[in-house]
Amino acid sequence: QLQLVESGGDLVQPGGSLRLSCDSSGFPLNYYAIGWFRQAPGKEREGVACITSQGGSAYYAGSDGGRFTISRDTAKNMVYLQMSSLRPEDTAVYYCAAQAYFCSGHAFRYEAWGQGTQVTVSS
């Protein structure tokens, strides 16, 4: 059974950086694409980034690829989201989620979700 736990969220000033982690507690992620989503108060959950099961392809929402980088560590069964040049509008709860093999921008396709980690960007 796949369970995911996010960590790394914090309060940062605009322009700051954070690295979020998605930890499966040792459960193999080889067969799963991992996506990062976020949800701000009063807004729908939106996709941020996704990396395929093989790690060969990564996808980003809009132009966020210039500020966010998703990566995998196969040995540790972890996925990361490196976030830089953070803006107040990036404030949200960030979730990682898993689906078999391929990335999707649709949240309903993901099979397992973490509980979320809070990212707050404010001066």
Side-chain angles (χ1 to χ4, degrees), residues 93-109:
V93 177
Y94 284 71
Y95 302 87
C96 64
Q99 73 166 14
Y101 298 107
F102 304 109
C103 289
S104 173
H106 301 291
F108 72 87
R109 296 190 181 275

Side-chain angles (χ1 to χ4, degrees), residues 59-99:
Y59 304 90
Y60 301 92
S63 60
D64 287 344
R67 300 189 297 122
F68 298 171
T69 301
I70 188 169
S71 61
R72 308 183 68 121
D73 187 325
T74 301
K76 296 181 179 179
N77 292 305
M78 296 185 68
V79 178
Y80 305 97
L81 183 68
Q82 179 67 49
M83 311 169 69
S84 62
S85 301
L86 287 165
R87 307 162 181 166
E89 53 263 43
D90 294 319
T91 295
V93 177
Y94 284 71
Y95 302 87
C96 64
Q99 73 166 14

